Amino acid sequence: MILSRYERMIAKRYLLPGKGEGFIFLVASISLVAVMLGVAALVIVMSVMNGFRAELFEKSVGLNGHAVVQGYGGRLPDWREVLAQARATPGVTSATPLIEQPLMSTYEGRVEGVLARGMRVEDIRGNPVIAGNVLSGRLAELTPGSGNVALGARLAEALGARVGSEISLISPQGPATPFGTVPRVVSYRVAAIFEVGIWDYDSLFVVMPIEDAQTLLFLGDAVQMVELDTVDPDRVGEILQPLASRVEGRAAITDWRQMNSTLFDALQVERVAMFTILSIIVLVAVFNILSSLIMLVRAKTRDIAILRTMGATRGGLVKIFMTVGVTIGVLGIAAGLVLGQIFLFFRQSVVNAVQAVTGQNLWDPSIRFLTELPARTDPVEVIGIAGMALLMSVLATLYPAFKAANTDPVQVLRYE
């Protein structure tokens, strides 16, 4: 929309408060602030929801892979064959033998439920989710037969254990006696403590060499599952279809969507719901722009009539009032994008400040899954939010702009 020199001058004049037009300027300012808050809220919420999904996906997949081949009855005796078949499957980038078993742990009278996880030593040290988040101790001390384990940080806190502590793991699969099965109790030394950032993992995981897990659970040379990574997690079912037919009857393949379906489906539903609800804020702001322009047109009826008698075209008047409304919208959108990015940059400080003022724990990791408020801004979504707000602003200017253009100068100036 190209404006002539006089149209730009008049549009600029109408954007600034004139004598007796303070109320119109106040309404226009409120409209700008409302657009800013609506756009900022959308950017913040969508970025936080994206951050939740990305963090949960990266850390869950980093520990559990894109899929697992799980043996029936909790045993996979021919895991080496399955491992070779998986690695030969096109699209599979890695295959890792794994043991996971719920057990009990005790330390100095404290008892906690744990998830014992047996991995090969090279896989433990090469896993970025574990190796990249060690808080104390050394993963290098986890060697077969050493009796050393690594604990999640929240589990260590719950037990009161630290590096060097001796914890006991209790397995119900103990030796058989004339009086029944006796639970097996084995002591292990804490060699390292790690913090993944997902509460469920940090409060449950006990990581040990796979050979020690086999000994503890009387598995012999068997494992429980083989963890798989693929080139594209969104196509994991298609990629693993050939492998599923090969292991049919011996094992079942479960991908990350099935393992975390409830959580990710809930996030998706909440994401759509929050976007829809917060879009109403922008819609309300747009109605404010509409009302301020209607009042401006009413206040400038005499000016419009004079402009028409001086040769101003209907199209020129439409452009003038559309420019006024769109300018308010654009300024609000720009301010909202800046405010949203500032809030996201200081998001954790804001949460901490609100918690300090209210005395309430707003971010309980046991409920929120993650230890810190995540955020990941998607540029495409930001452009979409800005485009939606701009489109609404443009539509809001149409009625008052055409109302101004249809002003009859004869009727207005008859008694002047």
Side-chain angles (χ1 to χ4, degrees):
M1 186 168 59
I2 301 175
L3 276 69
S4 65
R5 185 169 176 270
Y6 93 90
E7 290 169 349
R8 287 196 302 271
M9 179 188 69
I10 295 173
K12 181 179 179 182
R13 171 67 183 82
Y14 285 174
L15 279 168
L16 300 175
K19 185 178 180 181
E21 299 169 358
F23 183 71
I24 297 175
F25 179 74
L26 176 62
V27 174
S29 300
I30 292 173
S31 303
L32 189 151
V33 172
V35 172
M36 176 187 71
L37 294 177
V39 170
L42 274 171
V43 170
I44 292 168
V45 169
M46 299 309 293
S47 296
V48 169
M49 296 302 294
N50 288 338
F52 258 111
R53 188 183 188 282
E55 288 290 315
L56 288 171
F57 177 79
E58 289 175 3
K59 291 179 178 180
S60 297
V61 169
L63 283 174
N64 297 319
H66 296 162
V68 293
V69 181
Q70 192 159 13
Y72 292 133
R75 296 175 66 90
L76 196 62
D78 54 346
W79 61 272
R80 289 183 177 83
E81 180 186 346
V82 173
L83 207 64
Q85 292 174 340
R87 289 172 176 169
T89 302
V92 175
T93 57
S94 69
T96 306
L98 198 65
I99 294 173
E100 276 191 1
Q101 183 68 34
L103 301 174
M104 297 296 294
S105 65
T106 64
Y107 177 70
E108 294 186 349
R110 298 185 181 184
V111 180
E112 294 289 335
V114 301
L115 189 64
R117 185 181 180 95
M119 303 171 65
R120 293 183 301 185
V121 171
E122 59 269 27
D123 294 328
I124 297 175
R125 298 173 186 172
N127 189 306
V129 176
I130 297 176
N133 294 284
V134 176
L135 300 181
S136 58
R138 297 171 60 244
L139 292 178
E141 296 182 21
L142 270 66
T143 56
S146 65
N148 290 332
V149 296
L151 300 186
R154 303 288 81 78
L155 175 59
E157 289 177 4
L159 289 173
R162 57 185 183 275
V163 173
S165 299
E166 294 280 342
I167 68 169
S168 297
L169 295 183
I170 304 172
S171 170
Q173 300 173 353
T177 69
F179 302 100
T181 301
V182 178
R184 180 175 171 80
V185 181
V186 181
S187 295
Y188 294 92
R189 174 182 173 273
V190 179
I193 295 174
F194 61 88
E195 183 176 26
V196 172
I198 296 181
W199 178 270
D200 284 357
Y201 295 159
D202 291 334
S203 62
L204 288 176
F205 271 13
V206 177
V207 178
M208 63 178 65
I210 197 168
E211 293 84 356
D212 292 356
Q214 289 171 330
T215 301
L216 173 65
L217 301 174
F218 297 111
L219 289 175
D221 188 45
V223 301
Q224 292 180 336
M225 64 190 75
V226 172
E227 177 186 285
L228 306 175
D229 284 328
T230 63
V231 293
D232 185 357
D234 292 324
R235 296 176 49 243
V236 63
E238 176 187 342
I239 293 171
L240 296 180
Q241 185 59 42
L243 179 62
S245 60
R246 294 193 191 102
V247 300
E248 188 176 0
R250 295 178 292 164
I253 296 180
T254 306
D255 62 42
W256 66 271
R257 289 171 296 194
Q258 296 167 315
M259 289 186 283
N260 305 285
S261 59
T262 302
L263 177 60
F264 284 103
D265 287 347
L267 281 176
Q268 184 63 24
V269 171
E270 186 174 358
R271 187 168 175 269
V272 173
M274 293 302 294
F275 180 85
T276 303
I277 293 169
L278 292 174
S279 295
I280 297 175
I281 299 177
V282 180
L283 187 60
V284 171
V286 165
F287 276 110
N288 282 339
I289 294 177
L290 174 64
S291 62
S292 65
L293 283 180
I294 290 174
M295 287 190 291
L296 181 62
V297 171
R298 295 276 302 202
K300 297 298 183 181
T301 300
R302 184 173 179 275
D303 291 7
I304 294 169
I306 293 173
L307 287 171
R308 291 283 286 121
T309 59
M310 294 175 64
T313 63
R314 293 177 186 273
L317 290 172
V318 169
K319 288 192 288 184
I320 288 170
F321 284 94
M322 285 188 68
T323 300
V324 173
V326 170
T327 300
I328 295 172
V330 168
L331 292 176
I333 292 168
L337 294 178
V338 173
L339 178 62
Q341 292 305 313
I342 292 174
F343 185 93
L344 290 172
F345 184 79
F346 295 104
R347 62 187 182 279
Q348 194 60 42
S349 300
V350 172
V351 172
N352 295 337
V354 173
Q355 290 182 153
V357 171
T358 62
Q360 300 294 320
N361 185 7
L362 302 179
W363 193 260
D364 185 352
S366 63
I367 299 174
R368 310 294 184 185
F369 291 100
L370 302 177
T371 53
E372 290 188 351
L373 179 66
R376 180 167 297 187
T377 303
D378 184 352
V380 176
E381 279 189 351
V382 172
I383 293 172
I385 291 169
M388 179 195 70
L390 181 60
L391 177 62
M392 288 183 177
S393 299
V394 171
L395 293 176
T397 64
L398 294 179
Y399 173 75
F402 281 103
K403 185 71 175 176
N406 290 327
T407 300
D408 186 354
V410 175
Q411 294 295 328
V412 175
L413 299 176
R414 174 176 292 178
Y415 301 105
E416 293 292 334

